[in-house]
Amino acid sequence: MTAARILAVAVDCRQPDLLAEFWAAALGNAKTRTWTDSHGLTYRQLDVDDGPALLFQPVPEEKTVKNRLHLDLAPVTGDQRAEVERLVMLGAKVLDDPADDPWIVLADPEGNEFCVLPPR
């Protein structure tokens, strides 16, 4: 029996360079590379050591609705609140900090939602 594996998580965005820089700083261990497809569109890709790549692909439209897929992050060192503060300093915005749930919802510089959970 064969199976598939996730090679990359693709993120539609207006400014691939901006998002690649944000996520490279957020993840801290990503190697960035750029490539162009057969239509002349330039993509930015972050190759992450312990997971699928993040691929930022250019699109002409703005984000308009809630993500159907999002990333969940957990700090490697430190605590959840310190990680949220660090990400906000990099350009993220806090969208929701529910008192009864263990996650905090943020948005990256283009408005894509993601969550920060306590360390695991």
Side-chain angles (χ1 to χ4, degrees):
M1 183 164 114
T2 62
R5 66 183 178 99
I6 297 173
L7 293 178
V9 175
V11 179
D12 289 353
C13 57
R14 303 251 355 241
Q15 299 179 1
D17 291 338
L18 173 74
L19 278 193
E21 289 174 22
F22 169 81
W23 283 103
L27 298 174
N29 64 348
K31 296 161 195 69
T32 305
R33 62 186 174 113
T34 303
W35 55 276
T36 304
D37 71 10
S38 63
H39 304 284
L41 293 175
T42 300
Y43 297 73
R44 290 289 301 271
Q45 181 170 323
L46 299 182
D47 294 319
V48 182
D49 290 340
D50 58 351
L54 288 178
L55 177 64
F56 301 98
Q57 55 189 24
V59 296
E61 67 276 356
E62 298 279 341
K63 180 182 174 296
T64 57
V65 297
K66 181 182 179 295
N67 299 3
R68 294 293 301 252
L69 172 77
H70 70 268
L71 302 177
D72 284 344
L73 306 181
V76 175
T77 60
D79 68 9
Q80 179 185 32
R81 297 281 171 194
E83 183 63 9
V84 168
E85 288 178 26
R86 184 182 77 84
L87 293 166
V88 168
M89 288 177 43
L90 293 173
K93 293 180 185 175
V94 175
L95 299 181
D96 193 17
D97 188 355
D100 295 334
D101 294 318
W103 55 80
I104 299 171
V105 182
L106 285 81
D108 72 14
E110 283 207 13
N112 300 300
E113 298 92 358
F114 65 98
C115 294
V116 178
L117 290 98
R120 302 260 166 125

